[in-house]
């Protein structure tokens, strides 16, 4: 018997489907006290299977628009590096656009090679859909491709695209559009094991740390899934849940849906968002921490960063402060939470400086410190620690 005794549960906000959930299932929303048998829960979950769990159509054609700076094409580069098997080629509307080194294909050529969707692989300032892109986006729809976007501007709100998509029977998939029907969190401990990447700040490697750890777990034969919470992660994984698009009351509940009940030896490696020390994004980070109920956190940091990104009046906390704060607040929903180690983004350092920085952090904290992209023995020690293996 699976019991939620005396657990008040409100109906989720909105109506309709919950989109873009990677492997998640949603229990029925109800009011008052709940005592749900396994059979009743299974029946309810089956009712949601077809409408709730949506996977992105793959493989992709990566759209680069007219973006000439690599920094604005981080989504495309992330897909190329972490999901190469899902990328058939690249397409741009300007000869000056960045080059991913993938085959340059038209949408029709990509469709003949098996592509099912064109991903807007750029994140411009303001997250808008440029007028200059529209002919290329229309071309993709008419070639039989769905369009996937992580921009703040909605594809579905762009009339020219909506009309063509309806005529061609194609989908406009806005990853950042808040999913409907999410429940509030129950706080009930779920079976299975969970690892969450947390950070001293935003935009310093939580996604790539989670991806690298999930890949390392799989290489060791550990049953595991990468659970995506941001737009690029969702595209890499082929599904997920855009946690920063969820109404605040439902963030923890969304995390519970994203990482559902699992076998006791299965690991969900959950992509973290923001930082508990960021004045703008701490709320998202806290909801994700409580809903994820992580058994292990890995603290991510970029050595040398002094001020919180976008808020120069706030200093970046130390690794120890970040670890202690996440453990203290995380104990609300998982009293057994522990820190597996730290992940340092040393891309700006020489090999020798990176090694010295990692060694110093490991000695100071008494925990493994590694750069997952550099790998090596330090990263192996971090994985051992996350899995609870003796040092």
């Amino acid at each position: 018997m699976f019991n939620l005794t005396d657990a008040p549960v409100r109906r989720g906000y909105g109506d309709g489907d919950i989109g873009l959930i990677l492997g998640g299932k949603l229990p029925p929303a109800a009011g008052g006290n709940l005592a749900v048998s396994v059979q009743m829960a299974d029946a309810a979950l089956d009712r949601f299977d077809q409408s709730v769990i949506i996977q992105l159509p793959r493989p992709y054609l990566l759209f680069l628009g007219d973006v000439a700076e690599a920094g604005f094409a981080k989504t495309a580069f992330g897909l190329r590096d972490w999901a190469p098997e899902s990328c058939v080629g690249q397409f741009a509307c300007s000869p000056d656009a960045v080059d991913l080194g993938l085959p340059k294909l038209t949408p029709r050529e990509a469709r003949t090679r098996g592509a099912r969707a064109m991903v807007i692989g750029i994140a411009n300032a303001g997250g808008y859909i440029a007028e200059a892109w529209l002919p290329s986006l229309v071309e993709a729809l008419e070639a039989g491709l769905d369009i996937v976007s992580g921009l703040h501007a909605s594809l579905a709100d762009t009339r020219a695209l909506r009309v063509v998509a309806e005529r061609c029977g194609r989908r406009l998939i806005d990853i950042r559009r808040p999913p409907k029907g999410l429940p509030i969190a129950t706080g009930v401990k779920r079976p299975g094991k969970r690892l969450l990447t947390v950070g001293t700040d935003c935009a310093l490697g939580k996604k790539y740390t989670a991806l690298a750890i999930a890949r390392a777990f799989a290489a060791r034969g550990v049953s595991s899934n990468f659970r995506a919470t941001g737009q690029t992660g969702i595209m890499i994984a082929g599904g997920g849940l855009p946690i920063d698009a969820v109404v605040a009351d439902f963030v923890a509940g969304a995390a519970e849906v994203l990482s559902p009940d699992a076998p006791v030896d299965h690991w969900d490696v959950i992509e973290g968002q923001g930082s508990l020390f960021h004045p703008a994004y701490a709320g998202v980070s806290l909801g994700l921490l409580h809903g994820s109920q992580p058994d292990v956190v890995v603290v991510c940091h970029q050595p040398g960063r002094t001020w919180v990104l976008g808020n120069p009046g706030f200093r970046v906390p130390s690794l120890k402060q970040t670890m202690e704060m996440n453990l203290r607040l995380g104990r609300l929903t998982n009293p057994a939470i522990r820190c597996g180690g730290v992940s340092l983004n040393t891309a700006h350092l020489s090999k020798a400086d990176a090694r010295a920085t990692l060694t110093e952090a490991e000695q100071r904290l008494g925990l493994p410190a590694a750069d997952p992209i550099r790998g090596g023995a330090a990263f192996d020690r971090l994985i051992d620690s996350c899995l609870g293996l003796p040092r």
Side-chain angles (χ1 to χ4, degrees):
M1 180 79 73
F2 173 65
N3 292 302
L4 296 177
T5 307
D6 296 327
V9 180
R10 295 205 311 267
R11 186 170 298 279
Y13 78 92
D15 297 310
D17 299 344
I18 302 174
L20 306 175
I21 297 172
L22 178 59
K25 291 184 177 181
L26 173 66
N33 297 338
L34 240 57
V36 185
S37 70
V38 172
Q39 292 81 6
M40 290 171 64
D42 286 346
L45 294 176
D46 288 343
R47 192 174 77 244
F48 283 106
D49 279 350
Q50 297 302 313
S51 61
V52 174
I53 304 170
I54 299 177
Q55 299 286 344
L56 295 184
R58 294 187 288 180
Y60 308 133
L61 173 65
L62 303 183
F63 180 62
L64 300 167
D66 52 2
V67 169
E69 295 183 40
F72 289 118
K74 64 178 184 178
T75 297
F77 280 102
L79 285 165
R80 182 202 66 181
D81 294 341
W82 289 92
E85 71 286 351
S86 295
C87 305
V88 302
Q90 64 183 32
F91 176 54
C93 60
S94 167
D96 298 322
V98 294
D99 189 348
L100 303 175
L102 297 176
K104 295 181 179 179
L105 305 174
T106 66
R108 196 162 299 280
E109 289 170 338
R111 187 71 184 92
T112 62
R113 295 194 186 191
R116 297 177 58 207
M118 185 167 79
V119 168
I120 297 180
I122 43 189
N124 54 16
Y128 65 94
I129 299 169
E131 285 286 333
W133 304 350
L134 291 180
S136 298
L137 300 179
V138 167
E139 182 181 350
L141 292 169
E142 292 179 337
L145 300 177
D146 295 335
I147 298 179
V148 178
S149 172
L151 297 172
H152 286 287
S154 171
L155 293 169
D157 290 340
T158 305
R159 187 178 183 280
L161 297 178
R162 190 172 64 249
V163 169
V164 177
E166 291 173 355
R167 171 168 57 82
C168 297
R170 305 320 310 166
R171 290 185 294 166
L172 301 174
I173 304 173
D174 288 301
I175 290 177
R176 280 187 178 272
R177 175 158 290 189
K180 299 176 181 179
L182 290 173
I184 63 167
T186 67
V188 174
K189 188 70 174 72
R190 308 186 297 284
K193 298 178 181 179
R194 290 166 185 84
L195 182 152
L196 174 68
T197 53
V198 300
T200 57
D201 195 8
C202 57
L204 43 66
K206 292 182 291 293
K207 172 175 67 264
Y208 293 127
T209 296
L211 283 164
I213 291 174
R215 181 177 289 179
F217 279 9
R220 293 190 181 199
V222 176
S223 174
S224 58
N225 287 101
F226 168 68
R227 302 295 186 182
T229 62
Q231 68 270 24
T232 303
I234 289 170
M235 293 175 186
I236 290 170
L241 201 155
I243 208 75
D244 63 355
V246 176
V247 172
D249 278 2
F250 301 90
V251 170
E256 290 184 357
V257 171
L258 179 68
S259 177
D261 291 359
V264 293
D265 61 346
H266 177 87
W267 283 87
D268 275 349
V269 181
I270 303 166
E271 173 193 6
Q273 294 293 328
S275 167
L276 292 176
F277 293 85
H278 198 292
Y281 309 128
V284 173
S285 305
L286 182 60
L288 183 57
L289 176 66
H290 285 160
S292 296
Q293 301 175 0
D295 300 281
V296 175
V297 293
V298 172
V299 179
C300 304
H301 176 63
Q302 183 180 46
R305 187 181 294 193
T306 303
W307 302 103
V308 167
L309 194 65
N311 296 78
F314 293 82
R315 283 192 173 275
V316 170
S318 70
L319 286 165
K320 185 178 180 182
Q321 286 175 311
T322 305
M323 178 180 66
E324 291 176 346
M325 180 68 79
N326 277 276
L327 293 180
R328 189 168 81 227
L329 297 179
R331 290 189 187 106
L332 175 68
T333 55
N334 188 351
I337 186 174
R338 64 182 177 88
C339 182
V342 299
S343 170
L344 300 183
N345 179 349
T346 64
H348 60 298
L349 300 179
S350 68
K351 186 175 181 179
D353 287 344
R355 186 184 301 112
T357 299
L358 294 170
T359 299
E360 188 278 330
E362 187 161 329
Q363 292 175 346
R364 174 164 44 88
L365 297 170
L367 289 168
D371 183 331
I373 305 304
R374 293 182 187 269
F379 185 55
D380 289 338
R381 290 195 297 273
L382 176 61
I383 297 302
D384 288 345
S385 177
C386 291
L387 293 173
L389 301 178
R391 297 186 68 175

